[in-house]
C-alpha cells in the first residue's frame, strides 16, 4: 500500500490502482488547494481545511480493496463543546491497516482504543491548538501501538496555518534512531516496514 502526504492532514492511500483521498483542504497558506482524481474521498469533519471537495474528480468502475471503519471522536478536549466532532477512520487493505486521526483533540478512551487498535501506520496531528499537541500525539501513538507514525497537521516556515506548531517538538520526544526523513511525500507500507516515525516531505 502506498501512503502519500499532500500537506496539512490530506493523504492519498493507494492499493491495486484504487485511490482514496482523506481530508482535502483549501486556504492553507503556502499550499495549493487539493485537486485530485480519485475513486473515493473521506472527510474527518466539515472545516475548510479538511473537507474541500469542489476540485476533486471522482472516477467509478473499480472495486475498492479497502475496508473502512469509523470511530467518532472530538475536535477538542471538552467533548466537542469548542469545535464539535471529528471522525477517526481505519483503512484496511493488503492485510495492512492505516488509521487517520483527523483533528483529534484528546487522548483516546479504552473503548475507542479497542475499536481503533492495532494499526500498521498512524497519521497523527501534532500541531496543537486545534488538535492534540506534540505530547498528546505521542501518547495517542503509544495508546494505539502504531508501528509507523506519520506526523501531520503542522506548519513550516514555508507553508501551514500560523496558529499551529512546527513538527520539531513532536520529533524531539522520540529516539533519534527511530526518525526517518523521506525525500518525497510517499511511503510504501509493507508488512515488514520497520517501526519508525516517518517524516514525509512536500
Amino acid at each position: 500500500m502506498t501512503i502519500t502526504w499532500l500537506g496539512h492532514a490530506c493523504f492519498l492511500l493507494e492499493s491495486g490502482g484504487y485511490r482514496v483521498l482523506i481530508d482535502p483542504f483549501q486556504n492553507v497558506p503556502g499550499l495549493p488547494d487539493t485537486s485530485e482524481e480519485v475513486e473515493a474521498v473521506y472527510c474527518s469533519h466539515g472545516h475548510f481545511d479538511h473537507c474541500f471537495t469542489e476540485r476533486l474528480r471522482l472516477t467509478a468502475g473499480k472495486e475498492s480493496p479497502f475496508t473502512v471503519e469509523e470511530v467518532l471522536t472530538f475536535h477538542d478536549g471538552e467533548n466537542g463543546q469548542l469545535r464539535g466532532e471529528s471522525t477517526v477512520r481505519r483503512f484496511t487493505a493488503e492485510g495492512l491497516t492505516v488509521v487517520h486521526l483527523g483533528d483529534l483533540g484528546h487522548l483516546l478512551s479504552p473503548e475507542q482504543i479497542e475499536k481503533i487498535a492495532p494499526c500498521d501506520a498512524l497519521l497523527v496531528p501534532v500541531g496543537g491548538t486545534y488538535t492534540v499537541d506534540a505530547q498528546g500525539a505521542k501518547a495517542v501513538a503509544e495508546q494505539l501501538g502504531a508501528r509507523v507514525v506519520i506526523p501531520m497537521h503542522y506548519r513550516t516556515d514555508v507553508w501551514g496555518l500560523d496558529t499551529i506548531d512546527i513538527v520539531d517538538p513532536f520529533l524531539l520526544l522520540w529516539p533519534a534512531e527511530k526518525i526517518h526523513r523521506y525525500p518525497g511525500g510517499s511511503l510504501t507500507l509493507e508488512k515488514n516496514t520497520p517501526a519508525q516515525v516517518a517524516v514525509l516531505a512536500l
Side-chain angles (χ1 to χ4, degrees), residues 33-133:
D33 295 346
T34 307
S35 176
E36 294 288 333
E37 182 173 329
V38 295
E39 277 69 42
V41 59
Y42 294 90
C43 299
S44 61
H45 60 291
H47 291 167
F48 70 94
D49 55 333
H50 293 264
C51 195
F52 178 64
T53 59
E54 283 81 350
R55 292 188 179 179
L56 303 183
R57 301 174 301 284
L58 294 178
T59 60
K62 293 181 181 177
E63 182 177 354
S64 175
F66 290 93
T67 298
V68 185
E69 300 167 90
E70 299 182 347
V71 178
L72 190 64
T73 61
F74 297 110
H75 199 328
D76 54 65
E78 298 185 27
N79 295 321
Q81 294 183 44
L82 298 179
R83 287 178 286 275
E85 298 173 340
S86 183
T87 300
V88 169
R89 287 191 173 88
R90 194 172 187 270
F91 300 87
T92 302
E94 305 174 29
L96 299 164
T97 296
V98 176
V99 169
H100 186 281
L101 290 179
D103 266 6
L104 180 69
H106 56 90
L107 297 184
L108 297 170
S109 69
E111 294 78 16
Q112 290 168 330
I113 295 170
E114 185 176 358
K115 293 176 181 177
I116 298 169
C119 62
D120 295 285
L122 181 66
L123 315 178
V124 57
V126 303
T129 305
Y130 309 113
T131 70
V132 288
D133 59 10

